[in-house]
Amino acid sequence: MKQKLFILLLLGLCAPILSMAQAKKELTLAETVNGAFQQENIYGVIPIPGDGEHYSQMNAQGTQIVKYSFKTGQQVEVLFDAATARECPFKHFDSYSFSPDGSTLLIATETRAIYRRSYTAVYYLYSLKRNMEGKIDNKVEALSDGGPQQVPVFSPDGSMVAFVRDNNIFLVKRLYGNSESQVTTDGKRNAILNGTPDWVYEEEFAYNRALEFSADSKMLAYVRWDESAVPSYSFPLYAGEVPHRADYEKYPGSYTYKYPKTGEVNSKVSVHTFDIKTKVNRQVQVPMDEDGYIPRIRFTKDPEKLAILTLNRHQNRLELYFANPRSTVCKLALRDESDTYIKENVFDNIVFYADNFTFMSERDGFNHLYWYSMNGNLLKQVTKGEFEVKQFLGYDSKTATFYYTSNEESPMRQAVYKIDRKGRKTKLSQQPGINSPQFSTDLRYFLNRYTSLNTPTVITLNDNTGKTLATLVDNAALKEKLASYQMPEKKFFSFQTSDGIMLNGWMMKPADFDETKKYPVIMYQYSGPGSQEVRDAFSISWETYMASQGYIVVCVDGRGTGGRGAAFEKCTYMNLGVKESHDQVEAALYLGMQPYVDKERIGIWGWSFGGYMTLMSMSEGTPVFKAGVAVAAVTDWNYYDTVYGERFMRTPQENTDGYRASSAFTRADKLHGHLLLVHGTADDNVHYQNCAEYAERLVQLGKQFDMQIYTNRDHSIWGGNTRLHLYTKLTDFFNMHLK
């Protein structure tokens, strides 16, 4: 009897210990926000030019460039090592690129950001050519001693490098001891830019260089921006702490730059060519509207054909011209038109081959790939169907095979395909989810990044039949780590609105979800034109943390978002924010009908366009949201830039009613629920003006609200302890009003 009692007592003592050992940890805000669950990835992979067998990557320390095999993923050799290179003045570097033949490296150091895609850096050349004994010179050479450079580009023969400094173009001739000459002299800040786009082009047309060599390395072509007449925008700069600006400790400074707002004057753009031998500069006679755009220039394989893309200011007519760089005469090769707007993903999917080029268009209602002759004749529509081609990856001329990604499986997924001359299609990716490939230069191999809703990134090497050759990253350590936590469950769902529109969403429920209880809801969304937040991809975010804290977190892609064809995406044209906010209200009403949702405790939040959508939804007229957070929000399209705002709204002068209906000011009197406004004072994208003026509107309406301003922070609101502070603020705000 005593022995039995002892055993029972021992089991009783051990039970809590076993329970504690098996208990799963709770997510903390700090580790969630600060990257403790960041997925392992492979960054900076560059296929080596002229070599279909290998790719390169810089190491994590930024001290080496390593060559790897596409077949095995194994290291082959170290191409560059800062520790052993001769006359190397730097210990680490930031990025690098190859000459067209892969024989020379261009290495960037001391990188300083300007805007989202632009930066200056100090560049160095490093030759990979081997002598008769199979050795390389191993010497580092400065590209230029005249100061930091921008957007350096090799000539096709590798003998020259052109770059921009202080808005002027320079040319370095490697065969003449890296002798440097100046191509333009009129460059001036906030006035004339040569070879690099102005702010609005960089931000909205998504590129940072408009400087190209001809195929025979005899000519340069570049775009010139005259932004002298563009209105300026200024914002204050304070001393701050991270970083600290000592010169502003007593008196704040300011930053002024050219920012064209909807309906205002844009830069005047022109295309120029420079004959390297004769040093003659010419202006190309581009037959375009005076207020039109030139979103790309690119030399074709024919040195006598410079491709110039133009858009009218409405951005509903795109034209491709072939210009002779010496005669400056242009010939129209292709025109694509829309009754709304041309999507900006067209530009970088136009690729020129010896006799043909690819083109993307939504002319049949979905984004598809087309094949043209160099005379501008349509040869065939390569892809067809009610799905979207996302990216053109390459064309194999030997087999007449096109490689691309599309969402044919589902609007929420992306797969890798190839299609041959007979139209036979082969799916190359193996798993359903989001597949993002990077092909070798000869298209024989590709590195694939795969993820799905519940699968962290898996990176494999594959051949062009789709066969997996090696697995480089499986994120097994992250999976094991997550298994020790109480993780929310995330699933897709769909519902039909009262307007008969089917919408897709995802929902995260707490790990200890009890269907008999009623939970508060936080709705996250972005909702911008063509965007997609509801995708079959893995992520751990602040929303994950909030779901672990007893919230149901939901995201719904409403009308205007991408993946479902032109009609669904472009139905918001001329009236941004109206249908989108109505759909978020419809989503909240749908959630409120679920037995496990407390319809009196539904919140909404978003960033940038998502912040705008928070304001529009909370003041839509249906009092369904108890609380909301608008971070870095647009509040009126009169405050935003020409290219983005007018693409979807035209100008305020043409669309007065649309601008009024799309303004958060117009419906501010109907704002319902507790509101938190968040903005950075140095936001160069969505100006703090949006927040300040909207806050004043609420004050005069007698509407109470909360406000959090971040000193010297741009649109990303990042730096030092800022992100943790921001998400702590959001957490406390929703806990106060929804719990």
Side-chain angles (χ1 to χ4, degrees):
M1 187 68 179
K2 287 181 179 180
Q3 188 177 16
K4 288 181 180 179
L5 286 172
F6 176 75
I7 293 171
L8 289 171
L9 179 62
L10 185 63
L11 289 172
L13 290 170
C14 290
I17 298 172
L18 290 170
S19 178
M20 289 173 63
Q22 294 169 353
K24 292 190 175 183
K25 295 180 284 186
E26 290 188 7
L27 293 172
T28 68
L29 178 59
E31 63 186 351
T32 307
V33 172
N34 292 335
F37 302 105
Q38 186 172 350
Q39 300 174 68
E40 183 185 353
N41 208 328
I42 297 178
Y43 299 100
V45 169
I46 301 178
I48 297 178
D51 174 4
E53 294 287 337
H54 302 96
Y55 63 91
S56 66
Q57 185 188 9
M58 59 186 277
N59 64 359
Q61 296 75 33
T63 59
Q64 292 182 333
I65 298 172
V66 183
K67 181 178 180 180
Y68 295 91
S69 166
F70 257 117
K71 281 184 179 178
T72 65
Q74 297 298 308
Q75 178 175 324
V76 175
E77 64 175 312
V78 175
L79 295 177
F80 173 79
D81 190 334
T84 59
R86 292 195 304 116
E87 300 181 31
C88 184
F90 54 87
K91 294 182 179 179
H92 57 84
F93 55 96
D94 305 317
S95 61
Y96 69 98
S97 60
F98 286 94
S99 61
D101 65 357
S103 67
T104 305
L105 291 168
L106 190 60
I107 302 171
T109 68
E110 302 178 46
T111 302
R112 295 181 182 274
I114 303 174
Y115 299 119
R116 191 190 297 264
R117 297 173 180 86
S118 56
Y119 57 89
T120 63
V122 177
Y123 287 89
Y124 295 89
L125 295 161
Y126 182 81
S127 177
L128 298 172
K129 290 181 178 178
R130 299 183 181 275
N131 59 23
M132 297 292 290
E133 298 174 353
K135 296 181 179 180
I136 61 174
D137 187 48
N138 199 32
K139 182 182 178 182
V140 173
E141 297 179 279
L143 174 63
S144 170
D145 295 323
Q149 306 96 44
Q150 281 182 259
V151 298
V153 56
F154 279 100
S155 60
D157 65 6
S159 68
M160 292 171 284
V161 178
F163 65 85
V164 173
R165 178 192 292 123
D166 298 329
N167 300 314
N168 279 313
I169 298 169
F170 293 80
L171 184 65
V172 170
K173 295 183 177 180
R174 299 180 61 204
L175 300 179
Y176 295 90
N178 291 346
S179 64
E180 184 175 314
S181 59
Q182 192 164 343
V183 175
T184 66
T185 58
D186 59 348
K188 183 180 179 182
R189 187 179 186 278
N190 285 342
I192 303 297
L193 298 86
N194 293 292
T196 55
D198 66 4
W199 185 94
V200 72
Y201 268 73
E202 175 186 333
E203 176 68 24
E204 306 300 358
F205 291 138
Y207 72 124
N208 66 359
R209 190 188 79 218
L211 175 62
E212 301 282 329
F213 277 96
S214 61
D216 59 5
S217 302
K218 294 180 179 180
M219 302 286 289
L220 269 176
Y222 61 95
V223 178
R224 178 183 184 269
W225 282 263
D226 181 350
E227 59 179 4
S228 304
V230 176
S232 296
Y233 185 85
S234 299
F235 52 80
L237 292 173
Y238 303 95
E241 289 196 15
V242 183
H244 178 66
R245 295 174 169 88
D247 47 337
Y248 299 148
E249 284 179 351
K250 202 158 189 177
Y251 293 95
S254 64
Y255 183 82
T256 301
Y257 67 118
K258 299 292 185 150
Y259 185 106
K261 300 199 175 191
T262 50
E264 300 296 330
V265 175
N266 273 317
S267 293
K268 294 179 180 179
V269 289
S270 52
V271 179
H272 301 257
T273 61
F274 176 74
D275 189 313
I276 295 170
K277 184 177 180 179
T278 64
K279 299 183 180 180
V280 174
N281 241 312
R282 300 178 176 92
Q283 182 173 337
V284 179
Q285 305 307 306
V286 186
M288 61 179 288
D289 298 342
E290 187 177 353
D291 61 352
Y293 299 106
I294 302 176
R296 293 291 189 278
I297 61 168
R298 192 171 296 126
F299 265 107
T300 67
K301 303 297 182 185
D302 181 350
E304 299 300 309
K305 284 186 176 180
L306 169 65
I308 301 172
L309 281 179
T310 70
L311 276 175
N312 60 335
R313 183 150 178 171
H314 285 164
Q315 299 175 65
N316 63 354
R317 185 183 73 246
L318 180 147
E319 292 174 326
L320 169 62
Y321 291 95
F322 287 138
N324 184 295
R326 289 187 173 83
S327 73
T328 74
V329 173
C330 290
K331 181 181 179 182
L332 180 66
L334 181 152
R335 177 183 289 122
D336 198 31
E337 295 183 275
S338 168
D339 56 2
T340 53
Y341 55 89
I342 303 290
K343 291 179 68 172
E344 70 278 12
N345 69 349
V346 170
F347 311 135
D348 290 326
N349 286 295
I350 300 175
V351 181
F352 297 98
Y353 296 87
D355 301 310
N356 307 89
F357 65 91
T358 56
F359 188 74
M360 274 193 182
S361 174
E362 290 182 304
R363 62 186 59 157
D364 73 352
F366 290 85
N367 202 53
H368 282 297
L369 186 63
Y370 294 80
W371 189 233
Y372 280 83
S373 72
M374 288 300 290
N375 293 322
N377 296 319
L378 176 62
L379 301 178
K380 66 176 176 179
Q381 181 174 344
V382 180
T383 60
K384 296 179 182 180
E386 293 189 359
F387 62 90
E388 294 184 346
V389 172
K390 293 297 186 179
Q391 184 183 10
F392 170 63
L393 302 169
Y395 173 72
D396 185 346
S397 58
K398 295 178 182 178
T399 60
T401 301
F402 299 85
Y403 293 80
Y404 62 94
T405 59
S406 81
N407 66 358
E408 186 170 349
E409 293 178 308
S410 161
M412 297 176 286
R413 291 175 174 169
Q414 179 173 293
V416 187
Y417 294 90
K418 67 178 180 181
I419 187 168
D420 66 16
R421 57 165 60 91
K422 295 183 178 180
R424 292 176 298 199
K425 186 188 303 181
T426 305
K427 181 184 170 187
L428 302 180
S429 49
Q430 305 298 318
Q431 302 294 331
I434 301 296
N435 292 273
S436 303
Q438 191 170 5
F439 273 80
S440 61
T441 53
D442 62 2
L443 302 172
R444 282 188 297 164
Y445 307 100
F446 67 97
L447 182 148
N448 189 54
R449 293 175 174 88
Y450 159 73
T451 180
S452 67
L453 204 62
N454 298 303
T455 308
T457 300
V458 176
I459 303 177
T460 57
L461 290 174
N462 311 267
D463 65 21
N464 62 9
T465 69
K467 179 183 177 181
T468 299
L469 305 175
T471 299
L472 305 181
V473 171
D474 61 10
N475 269 294
L478 178 58
K479 292 178 186 177
E480 185 178 349
K481 182 176 182 177
L482 291 173
S484 66
Y485 284 80
Q486 288 184 330
M487 296 300 297
E489 183 182 30
K490 189 174 186 179
K491 290 185 176 180
F492 290 122
F493 72 97
S494 298
F495 73 99
Q496 189 173 54
T497 69
S498 62
D499 307 298
I501 308 295
M502 287 297 299
L503 299 179
N504 298 320
W506 55 251
M507 179 184 296
M508 271 193 289
K509 296 177 180 177
D512 59 353
F513 175 75
D514 183 345
E515 62 183 11
T516 65
K517 293 182 179 180
K518 286 186 177 291
Y519 292 85
V521 172
I522 296 175
M523 290 174 54
Y524 164 74
Q525 45 65 55
Y526 179 74
S527 303
S531 66
Q532 279 187 266
E533 295 296 324
V534 182
R535 301 172 78 233
D536 197 359
F538 180 85
S539 69
I540 300 290
S541 62
W542 177 73
E543 288 78 19
T544 315
Y545 169 75
M546 293 305 282
S548 75
Q549 296 300 299
Y551 291 91
I552 291 176
V553 183
V554 174
C555 179
V556 172
D557 276 346
R559 283 173 291 178
T561 57
R564 297 176 60 176
F568 186 86
E569 180 175 331
K570 296 181 177 181
C571 69
T572 63
Y573 186 60
M574 301 284 275
N575 283 280
L576 281 184
V578 178
K579 291 178 180 176
E580 302 98 312
S581 58
H582 177 71
D583 286 351
Q584 293 303 313
V585 169
E586 287 277 328
L589 292 172
Y590 165 78
L591 292 168
M593 292 187 289
Q594 307 312 305
Y596 47 82
V597 168
D598 184 345
K599 65 179 181 179
E600 303 299 327
R601 294 187 293 160
I602 299 178
I604 185 171
W605 94 280
W607 198 306
S608 195
F609 198 103
Y612 162 68
M613 194 50 44
T614 294
L615 301 177
M616 295 292 284
S617 301
M618 292 180 71
S619 51
E620 187 260 2
T622 307
V624 69
F625 296 108
K626 188 179 181 184
V629 178
V631 181
V634 174
T635 57
D636 191 296
W637 293 106
N638 280 284
Y639 296 148
Y640 206 57
D641 73 62
T642 50
V643 175
Y644 188 93
E646 294 174 14
R647 180 184 299 153
F648 310 115
M649 294 286 289
R650 294 202 174 181
T651 66
Q653 296 89 333
E654 297 172 281
N655 185 22
T656 304
D657 291 342
Y659 273 77
R660 184 182 298 112
S662 297
S663 174
F665 288 80
T666 304
R667 51 173 68 178
D669 60 327
K670 294 186 288 185
L671 178 70
H672 175 85
H674 303 281
L675 173 65
L676 170 62
L677 297 173
V678 180
H679 222 103
T681 62
D683 192 332
D684 63 288
N685 185 352
V686 180
H687 298 147
Y688 173 61
Q689 173 189 24
N690 285 268
C691 181
E693 297 289 4
Y694 183 74
E696 170 67 3
R697 175 67 171 157
L698 295 181
V699 168
Q700 298 310 319
L701 286 169
K703 297 276 187 179
Q704 292 296 319
F705 61 96
D706 291 300
M707 197 166 174
Q708 176 66 54
I709 304 304
Y710 287 99
T711 305
N712 292 348
R713 299 305 167 196
D714 63 14
H715 197 56
S716 64
I717 311 182
W718 183 271
N721 193 52
T722 306
R723 271 293 169 93
L724 181 57
H725 187 280
L726 168 63
Y727 282 112
T728 300
K729 184 73 175 179
L730 268 60
T731 302
D732 293 345
F733 180 80
F734 279 125
N735 284 344
M736 179 186 298
H737 297 297
L738 297 185
K739 275 201 169 180

